[in-house]
Amino acid sequence: MIPGTFDYHRPTTVESAVALLMKLGEDARPLAGGHSLIPLMKTRLASPEHLVDLSAIEGLRRVEVEGNDVVIGAMTTQHSVITSTVLAELVPILRETALVIADPQIRYKGTIGGNCANGDPGNDMPALMQCLGASYQLTGADGNRLVPARDFYLGAYETALEPGEILTEIRIPVPPAGHGYGYEKLKRKVGDYATAAAAVVITMVSGTCTSASIGLTNVSETPLWAAEAAGILVGSTLDAATVDAAVAAAEAITNPASDMRGPSEYRTKMAGVMLRRALERARTRAIA
Amino acid sequence: MNEQVKIDIDRAERTEKLQGMGCKRKRVEDVRFTQGKGSYVDDLKLPGMLFGDFVRSPHAHARIVSIDTSRAKALPGVVAVLTAADLKPLGLHYMPTLAGDVQAVLADEKVLFQNQEVAFVIAEDRYIASDATELVEVVYEALPCIVDPFKAMLPDAPILREDIKDKMVGAHGPRKHPNHIFEWQIGDKQATDDVFARADVTIKEMLVDHRTHPSPLETCQSVASFDKVKGELTLWGTFQAPHVIRTVVSLISGLPEHKIHVIAPDIGGGFGNKVGAYAGYVCSVVGSIVLGVPVKWVEDRMENLSTTSFARDYHMTTELAATKDGKILGMRVHVLADHGAFDACADPSKWPAGFMNICTGSYDIPVAHLVVDGVYTNKASGGVAYRCSFRVTEAVFAIERAIEVLAQKLGMDAAELRMKNFIRAEQFPYHSALGWEYDSGDYHMAMQKAMDAIGYKALRAEQAEKREAFKRGETRELMGIGISFFTEIVGAGPAKNCDILGIAMFDSAEIRIHPTGSVIARMGTKSQGQGHETTYAQIIATELGIPADDIMIEEGNTDTAPYGLGTYGSRSTPVAGAATAVAARKIKAKAQMIAAHMLEVHEGDLEWDIDRFRVKGLPEKFKTMKEIAWSAYNAPPPNLEPGLEAVNYYEPPNMTYPFGAYFCVMDIDVDTGVAKTRRFYALDDCGTRINPMIIEGQVHGGLTEAFACAMGQEIRYDDMGNVMGASFMDFFLPTAVETPKWETDFTVTPSPHHPIGAKGVGESPHVGGVPCFSNAVNDAYAFLGAGHIQMPHDAWRLWQVGERLGLHG
Ligand SMILES: Cc1cc2nc3c(=O)[nH]c(=O)nc-3n(C[C@H](O)[C@H](O)[C@H](O)COP(=O)(O)OP(=O)(O)OC[C@H]3O[C@@H](n4cnc5c(N)ncnc54)[C@H](O)[C@@H]3O)c2cc1C
């Protein structure tokens, strides 16, 4: 529980942060809220020699609407996500999800950018971002590029971030007014990562599901976007047989590790149960 | 106002001012604890102090081929690196355990469990020490390991303890196998077997009380400071039994006992974890003796959970024999006890399986027979009493699960079966089949009060309806009703059968009244959060008529406190609490002589009245204890020495036997296996109640730990002997969110042999709580033919029960 030796840097601009990261190379890591990185350092599973703290950089905490998108600065804390009235109105599933992350103390420090950039399959935001069709703005020495969340996660702790790149903003297309949503998470206690969790966003017209998107948390090496399962729902009235088929399709793409939360087959089944429950809540919320 | 009313008001006011026994006095220690002003071992900073950290084994069982400390020693800031080779010449590479075995301080030739201590790095700060542990190069040759205790005594099992492999007689008799520690038998085997052969109905179930850990919030730690000039050692540490630690340190180190000063400052929870001696304590002492400067050792959470002790790991084949109308005739239990790599159980020395023979519980069972086999495995050693008297949680779990299994087989209501078999009030003092003398109880009354309070009948009716609804597919929830009626055995104990390494298990109090009537009292026990500073003062307040706020309680410094055996096994109130009352009464007797002199009457003319002696029939002629205190020093009667103080070393004539009736209502989501506790009602009878608020707090805490143990907390090992989940991410420590709401209640049956009738309560809720939760879970699935469901009842395991029963469609 004692970290190794490291140097600490506190740049005030994105450019200088990127420059530092480029210069220091592999031994440097960005530091956001520190609630994923510092535990890894204390158990010496990570031993970066340099920490580049992003917290003094202006402008990484904005939450604004731009056209059809909401844009969230990477350093926006999970607590701010919960208290933002804009987000509560336009993308309420963000708040529902943030509320089941860790505990209040951690959410005061932990950031949405850190949660998305971390690459731990246990993080809740990534599957939600996939469900919402969000994109990440990555800033590097050559400027900005936009990568869809659905393409960002390559493996456990492996992401599309190139050396020196920082995730600066998250861009989420605002779901249509009247959409139904639900984030259901099974966990052992407050402060626990998901045994399995499911994010669902649907739209209903006259009792028929006209669009659906599903993300699954912590049931594979990466977050999962369950496209096939969502596709099964579209065009149906969400009748029992259709829901069963969608749940089966979602379970089929999972590949969870066995851990203290339970054996693999349990966690797969829980992904199904969470999906069923999230979908049910989404249905009751959707204005058809 | 008439005269009598005035007198009554005056007496009530004087009583209230004392804040004595029975009053909900606020905990005085909380003033500092709630302001972050407690003073713990890790708060200690001494000039020149160094820090120690361990190199630990990644293997569960391996031969140590070589240890190279040169790179570590070369790191700037590293002062020394100790290995077994350094300790061997001092005879300190092994240390004696409380159970009559020896335990490696630093691994010698072999490691026997994962994370075992292999080398101790001492450096100028914690960070350097930690860096240097990574530079110690140890070459291991892995060996096959034993994780399953049932495989420990197979003929071809690898031999774990090569250091004692030829020693076929251990501390508790013959050993049947090199991995066998002891066999302990009690009861009448022949008579018990006969009853089983003839009984109408018998049940037999393997009940596992799984391995877990007491996990106090403060981990184990020590600071040793050796003064080479004076030849004196001061040792600060997380010690539940500081005096015993001093004696043990003296015996191991050869330092005379008066040159060792052991100090236990504030302790952040113990629950049995801080009774034993650990490698870290020894290494900090050796380090300080060798280097002549203070050495601090503080373990981290993973080290605490995976190395310094464990609890339970009892595999209990439990049998009951009964008539067909439900009268229990006999009990037979075989326990396979997994003690890990060394036998470091913290039991009174003559009791290798603790007080497991309380397993006949609250029932009048005519004959019983118990056999316990202890074995070595490649796991951490310990076997401490986790918030219970020695192995009492295990014993109560066995009988309280078994009686439910019997009820089911008989088709009888589980509460009714208990009522039918309870020891009756008129049978006390009751001699149990396995050798105990229960002091007092009224089980029927307590059970009836609990059943009425929870609305037992209505709950069973609701459950019957819910079961039907479940069968019809209208709900996916199962309702379980858990019952537990426990009898504990605490307050160890009488010298005839209780000692630790030969030291009889008395305890002590030394009370000194100052001339102005305020008091300091020093105790042989050591609070770890139990509120001793509050409650002992209340006993003295009532006994001596001095306000509790004028009484200071001190514990934990072996130089100033009288010798005592410490705090665990709910022994503080039964033993040291008794010593307090007896010492106070000695003072009171002297005070009466002084008062008589002051009032110029005979002693026999005086009577005690709350805070004063008054002349019988002349209530206006009195001397308060405060006035007497002044006279005691400044104008004592002729021929009486000045001063007003007393010491008592109390050796209890018997244990005390607290009991209680617990009920739990649980709803289980079949599809996820998540169990929700709807209600939990706990009726405790701990005899005389000293501070109802502290009792309630103890019950809340004990129930919370019981909830944790039953519902998910465990120390698990994989097949390779890797310890799993040794962090608070996985190790289930419930937060306020998960913890059920507790309803508490009580009856009062004083202990007839205790000076104030108190029995102890700190551990009852844990002991009674674990089986209550497990019974609720088992009861929920019983109608589906689930059979016994083993703990812990975490969600995935309950989901697996549903899967096995085909409940998931
Ligand atoms: C006890 C506990 C329980 C938790 N439970 C949950 C939970 O249930 N669900 C959940 O989702 N999370 C949980 N977390 C993690 C928490 O939400 C973290 O705050 C979050 O995962 C990371 O955010 P951070 O701001 O703390 O990032 P940090 O820990 O500072 O960084 C995490 C990683 O991302 C990198 N990084 C951070 N920001 C950027 C950026 N802008 N660009 C590029 N790389 C970046 C860092 O270099 C690091 O590798 C828990 C944490 C703890 C300690």
Side-chain angles (χ1 to χ4, degrees):
Chain A
M1 291 303 211
I2 307 280
T5 311
F6 58 87
D7 282 338
Y8 175 80
H9 309 265
R10 196 175 158 86
T12 52
T13 63
V14 173
E15 293 70 34
S16 54
V18 169
L20 263 172
L21 289 169
M22 291 302 288
K23 187 179 99 194
L24 299 169
E26 287 227 325
D27 297 330
R29 290 275 279 275
L31 175 71
H35 272 74
S36 286
L37 184 54
I38 292 176
L40 288 178
M41 290 168 62
K42 285 168 83 173
T43 49
R44 300 205 176 202
L45 292 169
S47 307
E49 286 173 18
H50 299 273
L51 289 183
V52 179
D53 188 346
L54 307 181
S55 64
I57 300 174
E58 292 285 326
L60 289 184
R61 289 190 175 81
R62 69 186 185 120
V63 177
E64 277 162 24
V65 181
E66 285 183 9
N68 284 333
D69 297 341
V70 284
V71 178
I72 307 174
M75 290 299 284
T76 306
T77 64
Q78 293 154 17
H79 174 75
S80 305
V81 169
I82 291 168
T83 51
S84 158
T85 45
V86 176
L87 296 180
E89 193 192 320
L90 297 180
V91 202
I93 193 171
L94 272 169
R95 180 171 193 273
E96 180 159 304
T97 305
L99 276 170
V100 294
I101 290 177
D103 59 45
Q105 279 176 308
I106 292 167
R107 299 194 297 253
Y108 286 129
K109 293 292 289 176
T111 65
I112 194 165
N115 201 297
C116 292
N118 191 29
D120 179 340
N123 282 131
D124 288 288
M125 284 297 169
L128 175 61
M129 293 304 160
Q130 294 191 335
C131 170
L132 289 167
S135 300
Y136 301 153
Q137 175 179 285
L138 311 183
T139 307
D142 305 331
N144 295 333
R145 64 186 178 118
L146 213 54
V147 176
R150 290 169 192 170
D151 298 335
F152 183 76
Y153 299 97
L154 310 175
Y157 295 101
E158 267 183 72
T159 67
L161 275 170
E162 294 291 342
E165 268 185 332
I166 294 173
L167 192 167
T168 42
E169 279 180 1
I170 295 166
R171 188 167 282 272
I172 304 171
V174 176
H179 71 279
Y181 65 92
Y183 191 77
E184 273 286 342
K185 174 175 176 179
L186 181 65
K187 55 183 174 173
R188 296 167 299 180
K189 64 170 179 181
V190 164
D192 192 17
Y193 292 95
T195 301
V200 171
V201 172
I202 54 170
T203 50
M204 301 286 287
V205 174
S206 320
T208 298
C209 174
T210 51
S211 77
S213 186
I214 298 168
L216 301 174
T217 296
N218 215 15
V219 281
S220 186
E221 295 250 292
T222 62
L224 296 174
W225 184 51
E228 189 192 334
I232 292 171
L233 299 174
V234 176
S236 81
T237 57
L238 302 184
D239 55 289
T242 305
V243 171
D244 286 348
V247 165
E251 288 176 358
I253 63 168
T254 67
N255 179 28
S258 292
D259 67 9
M260 296 294 279
R261 294 177 182 82
S264 174
E265 63 271 19
Y266 171 65
R267 299 183 60 192
T268 290
K269 287 293 172 192
M270 290 311 100
V273 173
M274 291 304 106
L275 171 55
R276 218 177 261 285
R277 291 180 184 180
L279 184 58
E280 187 49 38
R281 226 191 8 260
R283 181 224 297 268
T284 61
R285 281 169 170 165
I287 295 163
Chain B
M1 207 189 296
N2 85 28
E3 213 39 41
Q4 188 54 44
V5 172
K6 265 197 203 153
I7 291 170
D8 289 348
I9 290 175
D10 169 60
R11 297 190 80 238
E13 281 174 359
R14 284 191 284 132
T15 305
E16 199 185 310
K17 223 176 104 196
L18 295 182
Q19 296 205 55
M21 285 200 281
C23 128
K24 293 188 179 181
R25 184 179 184 220
K26 283 191 181 156
R27 292 180 16 133
V28 292
E29 40 277 89
D30 289 351
V31 174
R32 63 177 189 279
F33 292 155
T34 54
Q35 297 183 53
K37 295 281 194 272
S39 167
Y40 300 89
V41 175
D42 202 13
D43 291 321
L44 199 68
K45 292 187 180 72
L46 299 177
M49 186 169 74
L50 304 176
F51 295 81
D53 200 352
F54 281 111
V55 176
R56 296 180 177 278
S57 167
H59 299 279
H61 192 198
R63 205 165 295 289
I64 297 174
V65 178
S66 63
I67 305 178
D68 182 353
T69 60
S70 55
R71 283 182 62 217
K73 281 179 177 153
L75 187 73
V78 172
V79 179
V81 182
L82 300 177
T83 65
D86 302 306
L87 299 184
K88 234 180 210 175
L90 308 169
L92 286 178
H93 56 314
Y94 280 95
M95 62 176 170
T97 70
L98 295 178
D101 193 1
V102 291
Q103 175 176 1
V105 174
L106 292 173
D108 179 33
E109 294 174 24
K110 273 191 14 169
V111 289
L112 287 163
F113 64 94
Q114 192 182 47
N115 289 356
Q116 187 178 340
E117 301 80 3
V118 176
F120 189 67
V121 175
I122 303 173
E124 282 166 9
D125 72 37
R126 227 170 238 186
Y127 296 87
I128 298 172
S130 187
D131 288 347
T133 59
E134 297 189 331
L135 300 177
V136 175
E137 286 162 25
V138 187
V139 178
Y140 297 96
E141 178 194 316
L143 298 168
C145 68
I146 302 175
V147 174
D148 179 355
F150 286 93
K151 296 190 174 143
M153 290 204 284
L154 294 179
D156 58 346
I159 295 174
L160 304 190
R161 291 289 300 279
E162 286 169 4
D163 59 315
I164 55 164
K165 72 171 187 294
D166 301 321
K167 196 177 160 200
M168 290 322 286
V169 178
H172 305 285
R175 304 200 299 142
K176 295 182 265 195
H177 183 284
N179 295 331
H180 185 233
I181 308 171
F182 64 86
E183 182 195 85
W184 187 68
Q185 285 213 36
I186 188 161
D188 187 336
K189 178 168 169 31
Q190 191 57 52
T192 307
D193 289 348
D194 289 350
V195 160
F196 273 85
R198 281 184 280 110
D200 301 339
V201 183
T202 62
I203 61 110
K204 179 174 184 174
E205 200 67 65
M206 230 294 276
L207 306 171
V208 181
D209 205 345
H210 60 284
R211 181 175 276 243
T212 181
H213 192 280
S215 59
L217 279 189
E218 179 203 31
T219 59
C220 296
Q221 30 202 273
S222 60
V223 175
S225 178
F226 185 67
D227 182 328
K228 284 196 173 181
V229 176
K230 291 189 190 157
E232 291 184 18
L233 173 71
T234 308
L235 178 62
W236 291 263
T238 42
F239 306 136
Q240 293 181 228
H243 298 272
V244 181
I245 291 283
R246 186 185 61 187
T247 303
V248 171
V249 171
S250 175
L251 293 174
I252 298 178
S253 68
L255 286 173
E257 208 168 351
H258 69 287
K259 293 204 166 184
I260 302 171
H261 317 285
V262 172
I263 299 169
D266 283 330
I267 297 185
F271 313 113
N273 189 200
K274 293 167 181 169
V275 173
Y278 300 118
Y281 301 162
V282 178
C283 287
S284 65
V285 169
V286 173
S288 183
I289 291 177
V290 171
L291 300 169
V293 288
V295 176
K296 182 186 266 190
W297 167 71
V298 174
E299 65 176 354
D300 69 22
R301 183 62 55 197
M302 285 182 181
E303 293 176 299
N304 178 251
L305 288 172
S306 66
T307 68
T308 46
S309 84
F310 73 92
R312 319 280 148 80
D313 221 344
Y314 257 32
H315 305 252
M316 307 180 285
T317 307
T318 310
E319 296 175 83
L320 289 175
T323 63
K324 56 180 176 302
D325 55 354
K327 181 76 195 90
I328 302 174
L329 301 172
M331 181 179 200
R332 198 157 55 187
V333 183
H334 178 269
V335 180
L336 185 69
D338 183 340
H339 284 217
F342 307 96
D343 188 13
C345 281
D347 296 319
S349 296
K350 292 192 195 77
W351 301 87
F355 304 151
M356 181 65 201
N357 56 325
I358 193 74
C359 64
T360 54
S362 313
Y363 311 105
D364 184 15
I365 302 180
V367 294
H369 185 239
L370 164 69
V371 183
V372 183
D373 276 300
V375 295
Y376 293 120
T377 60
N378 290 113
K379 302 177 191 169
S381 57
V384 299
Y386 172 5
R387 205 175 184 137
C388 63
S389 201
F390 319 99
R391 299 296 186 185
V392 174
T393 308
E394 290 88 329
V396 170
F397 181 69
I399 182 68
E400 287 305 295
R401 266 308 294 141
I403 200 161
E404 297 260 331
V405 174
L406 178 64
Q408 216 194 343
K409 181 144 184 190
L410 291 166
M412 242 174 113
D413 179 84
E416 189 191 331
L417 181 61
R418 284 178 171 87
M419 282 288 206
K420 186 157 196 157
N421 288 283
F422 278 147
I423 299 162
R424 296 184 313 278
E426 67 273 17
Q427 285 177 286
F428 290 92
Y430 172 81
H431 292 265
S432 77
L434 294 179
W436 297 115
E437 184 188 309
Y438 293 29
D439 58 351
S440 62
D442 190 338
Y443 297 168
H444 288 93
M445 181 180 75
M447 185 72 170
Q448 194 57 55
K449 185 173 180 187
M451 287 170 72
D452 294 345
I454 192 102
Y456 184 66
K457 260 206 173 133
L459 284 173
R460 283 291 178 206
E462 182 194 345
Q463 183 185 43
E465 272 174 36
K466 279 222 150 151
R467 286 178 170 177
E468 288 312 311
F470 183 84
K471 287 185 201 156
R472 289 192 303 268
E474 293 162 12
T475 172
R476 297 294 291 156
E477 247 178 29
L478 297 174
M479 174 178 167
I481 302 171
I483 309 174
S484 144
F485 195 103
F486 65 93
T487 296
E488 270 199 290
I489 170 167
V490 306
K496 65 173 185 287
N497 51 20
C498 289
D499 69 87
I500 286 184
L501 301 174
I503 307 165
M505 294 183 73
F506 57 83
D507 226 292
S508 59
E510 180 189 293
I511 305 175
R512 182 181 306 164
I513 305 195
H514 305 311
T516 54
S518 70
V519 178
I520 181 161
R522 296 184 166 118
M523 317 290 304
T525 49
K526 176 63 208 168
S527 178
Q528 310 119 44
Q530 291 89 338
H532 288 179
E533 289 167 50
T534 309
T535 46
Y536 286 137
Q538 290 181 264
I539 298 176
I540 298 171
T542 296
E543 291 286 341
L544 291 180
I546 292 170
D549 285 346
D550 294 345
I551 301 167
M552 186 162 83
I553 303 294
E554 229 182 61
E555 296 178 307
N557 184 334
T558 54
D559 283 349
T560 50
Y563 203 105
L565 276 276
T567 295
Y568 43 85
S570 283
R571 62 188 301 284
S572 296
T573 299
V575 192
T580 308
V582 174
R585 286 170 196 181
K586 286 189 194 174
I587 289 174
K588 200 164 160 185
K590 182 171 179 183
Q592 187 165 359
M593 288 152 87
I594 298 166
H597 175 70
M598 292 167 81
L599 292 162
E600 297 176 359
V601 295
H602 274 287
E603 266 178 66
D605 296 332
L606 295 176
E607 62 186 3
W608 178 251
D609 178 41
I610 300 166
D611 56 356
R612 62 192 57 176
F613 280 106
R614 68 180 181 202
V615 178
K616 284 179 192 161
L618 290 171
E620 70 284 358
K621 283 198 73 181
F622 64 84
K623 289 291 170 192
T624 63
M625 197 47 119
K626 204 174 148 109
E627 294 168 317
I628 296 168
W630 186 261
S631 277
Y633 286 91
N634 304 312
N639 304 325
L640 202 63
E641 62 178 300
L644 199 54
E645 61 182 67
V647 187
N648 179 252
Y649 285 80
Y650 186 83
E651 194 234 311
N654 190 5
M655 310 282 187
T656 60
Y657 297 78
F659 60 91
Y662 290 1
F663 281 82
C664 170
V665 185
M666 203 178 264
D667 298 300
I668 301 173
D669 175 346
V670 171
D671 294 315
T672 58
V674 172
K676 269 224 167 71
T677 302
R678 193 200 307 173
R679 285 185 72 185
F680 197 103
Y681 167 91
L683 178 149
D684 275 283
D685 191 321
C686 58
T688 303
R689 292 157 58 83
I690 299 168
N691 182 329
M693 187 166 66
I694 286 198
I695 291 174
E696 198 171 39
Q698 290 290 313
V699 172
H700 285 190
L703 289 175
T704 304
E705 282 180 326
F707 168 69
C709 284
M711 305 310 292
Q713 189 175 88
E714 66 172 325
I715 296 289
R716 212 200 313 169
Y717 288 82
D718 71 8
D719 294 344
M720 303 290 289
N722 297 306
V723 57
M724 317 276 284
S727 83
F728 279 167
M729 184 53 82
D730 286 315
F731 187 81
F732 180 47
L733 212 63
T735 72
V737 176
E738 291 80 41
T739 302
K741 190 172 155 7
W742 311 117
E743 304 169 44
T744 60
D745 204 347
F746 61 96
T747 56
V748 177
T749 316
S751 169
H753 64 74
H754 186 278
I756 58 171
K759 289 186 170 187
V761 76
E763 304 172 330
S764 302
H766 188 83
V767 168
V770 175
C772 193
F773 284 108
S774 188
N775 281 340
V777 167
N778 273 279
D779 184 62
Y781 288 92
F783 75 111
L784 299 164
H788 170 69
I789 302 167
Q790 301 289 14
M791 291 191 298
H793 302 304
D794 41 11
W796 67 269
R797 287 182 170 97
L798 291 185
W799 178 83
Q800 282 184 332
V801 174
E803 194 70 357
R804 172 161 63 78
L805 298 172
L807 303 180
H808 299 140

